[in-house]
Structures are given as structure tokens and as C-alpha cells.
Amino acid sequence: MMPRTATVNYHVHASERQAYHIDAGGVVGKIISPEHDVTEVQLTDVRTDGGVSFDQDSVGFLTAPSTLTAFDQDRAWQETYDQELTNLLKREVGATEVIIFDHTVRIDDPNATRKPARNVHSDYSPEGAHHRLIDILGEAKAAEWSDGHYGFINVWRPVENPINSAPLGFVRPSSVADEDWLLLDLIYPDRRGHIMGLVGNPNHEWVYQSRMTPDEVAMFNIYDNRGKASVAHSALDMIEDPTITTVRQSIESRTLVCYGH
């Protein structure tokens, strides 16, 4: 089999803290990005080669059909989908409590408000995760959860059609060095946050699952207070079949899980 390749946007080390300006100038969807290092990477397709699991690699690919087929802005689907994801996480990772706190539908269209994220990153730094925990639970319950084992897990699903372009790719944590990570600010018109960006390293091992369907999900760890590795990820600039012209759509759901107190 010919090796699969894709292009990704790594981050670069710099003397000053770098930032994304989100909704820059008050224009919804306008993003001003820091410097990127455009790099071609080789991919392992887990659909044919396997070898990836949430337990070992902090990312897993599952067949998990939903009763829902559309995720419209009216959010009439949210209660049903939240329950489906709660059941999934309790079954697959042994969570005792699940809180789903954010859903983002991304469409790979120039006019879309939320497009696929084309930079290699992970969603939370330890500080950011702690602040998010308090935002969601409040000080008292956050302290209670912190005494036990909790984590933030992202569940990503294609919408409407199989993914033919810009699939989501992941870097095996075992191939990432500590110095590959850097902190990036997210500057919004009304607040400031931050994420972890990844700097390129030829040792990185990239994995993805080809032609994911709406009946499949990628489940990946974005923070764990007991040290389970966070997974760097990005939309991959590649096309599976140039004769297919469906628009890439997905829904990602950020969840907070408790593994017991």
C-alpha cells in the first residue's frame, strides 16, 4: 500500500508568547493566526492497520451510530445526543459521571462561522483545564472532583456524509517530546483563553481513520488530572477521492468525565 500523506500546520517556537485572535475586530468567524510551519506528514490509517486504542494512545475510533442525522442550530437534538454520549462514555471509559458542556458543528466552507481547525493543537493546558472545571462545576464541587480522577474527552463525529476531505488526524502521544508543546493565547473580543500548540518533530507518528462515516466517532483525551496524555490533533489537508465533492461536516462534543471519587 502506498503511504498516505497530508499537510498540517505545526506551530513554531518564538521568543514571545503567540496568539490567535478570534472574531478579530468584532467580525464573527474572522481569525488572525500566529506563524505556522506547513509540513507534509505520513499517516497510518487505523481502518486498515489498526493498533490504536483510547487506553494506550488516548484516542480511539468506535462504531457508535446515533439516532440523529442532523444537528441544526435550534438544538432540538441536544438532549437526545447528550444522553447518547453519556451512555457511550460510561460504557467505553468507565466514567461514573458525564457532563457534556459544548457542541461545535464545523463545516469546511469559506462562509461557515466554524471551520475545521487546521493547526496542530490540544484544547487545554493544565491551568486552562482547572479553570474550565471551576466554570462548569463551581469551586466546591471542582475541589471534590480534583480529589478524585477526572478528565476532559472530545467526541468527534462526521455529519451527513463520510469524510472525504480534511479528516481529523492525531499524533500518538508516545511520539511527542515535552519540548514539542507550547502555550498559545486565544484572544476574543471579550475574554482571553489559551490552548497547547505542537511544534513539528520528525518523530511524530500520525494516525487517522479513512472515510469516517456518521455512524463512527473518534474519542480522544484533551486533559486528565492523573496524567493520561493529551492528544495533539488537526484537520488534515488531504482528499481521499477527488471525484467526490461532498462538503466536510462534523460535530465535536467536549465532555467532562469523572472516573470516581
Side-chain angles (χ1 to χ4, degrees), residues 160-178:
E160 289 194 12
N161 297 295
I163 299 294
N164 186 63
S165 60
L168 195 61
F170 305 88
V171 185
R172 284 185 194 267
S174 59
S175 70
V176 176
D178 289 345

Side-chain angles (χ1 to χ4, degrees), residues 108-155:
D108 200 6
D109 182 283
N111 297 317
T113 301
R114 301 302 296 271
K115 305 174 186 66
R118 284 179 161 87
N119 65 302
V120 190
H121 69 286
S122 186
D123 297 20
Y124 292 129
S125 65
E127 179 187 353
H130 179 68
H131 286 314
R132 200 70 172 109
L133 183 73
I134 294 171
D135 288 344
I136 294 168
L137 299 179
E139 290 275 2
K141 194 167 185 182
E144 180 185 331
W145 278 46
S146 295
D147 287 338
H149 183 192
Y150 74 87
F152 289 91
I153 297 175
N154 193 319
V155 183

Side-chain angles (χ1 to χ4, degrees), residues 41-261:
V41 297
Q42 290 200 344
L43 307 169
T44 295
D45 181 3
V46 302
R47 191 178 296 284
T48 55
D49 295 336
V52 170
S53 71
F54 185 83
D55 284 345
Q56 290 189 342
D57 302 291
S58 295
V59 57
F61 298 88
L62 307 169
T63 299
S66 173
T67 59
L68 302 159
T69 57
F71 297 88
D72 302 321
Q73 290 185 351
D74 64 10
R75 296 288 177 121
W77 46 267
Q78 184 166 330
E79 183 177 355
T80 297
Y81 196 50
D82 284 357
Q83 189 58 58
E84 290 179 350
L85 293 182
T86 296
N87 295 341
L88 174 73
L89 289 164
K90 286 184 174 181
R91 181 177 71 246
E92 295 295 334
V93 304
T96 56
E97 191 171 348
V98 177
I99 298 170
I100 295 112
F101 60 90
D102 180 65
H103 296 287
T104 301
V105 175
R106 296 187 186 272
I107 303 174
D108 200 6
D109 182 283
N111 297 317
T113 301
R114 301 302 296 271
K115 305 174 186 66
R118 284 179 161 87
N119 65 302
V120 190
H121 69 286
S122 186
D123 297 20
Y124 292 129
S125 65
E127 179 187 353
H130 179 68
H131 286 314
R132 200 70 172 109
L133 183 73
I134 294 171
D135 288 344
I136 294 168
L137 299 179
E139 290 275 2
K141 194 167 185 182
E144 180 185 331
W145 278 46
S146 295
D147 287 338
H149 183 192
Y150 74 87
F152 289 91
I153 297 175
N154 193 319
V155 183
W156 184 91
R157 179 189 300 274
V159 174
E160 289 194 12
N161 297 295
I163 299 294
N164 186 63
S165 60
L168 195 61
F170 305 88
V171 185
R172 284 185 194 267
S174 59
S175 70
V176 176
D178 289 345
E179 58 267 25
D180 295 343
W181 291 105
L182 53 77
L183 195 62
L184 297 163
D185 286 333
L186 298 178
I187 301 174
Y188 297 85
D190 60 344
R191 61 188 172 91
R192 180 185 293 255
H194 49 247
I195 60 172
M196 300 300 294
L198 198 70
V199 174
N201 184 326
N203 293 328
H204 290 166
E205 298 176 27
W206 280 87
V207 300
Y208 89 119
Q209 183 160 290
S210 59
R211 299 284 292 161
M212 282 184 67
T213 75
D215 285 343
E216 297 173 315
V217 299
M219 181 178 70
F220 55 101
N221 184 61
I222 49 180
Y223 179 76
D224 183 283
N225 75 325
R226 294 287 175 87
K228 186 177 183 64
S230 179
V231 179
H233 55 281
S234 174
L236 304 169
D237 276 322
M238 64 177 293
I239 297 174
E240 301 275 12
D241 184 343
T243 68
I244 296 174
T245 58
T246 53
V247 176
R248 189 267 218 201
Q249 298 184 64
S250 63
I251 180 169
E252 63 190 59
S253 305
R254 290 189 178 93
T255 76
L256 171 61
V257 302
C258 179
Y259 294 104
H261 297 294

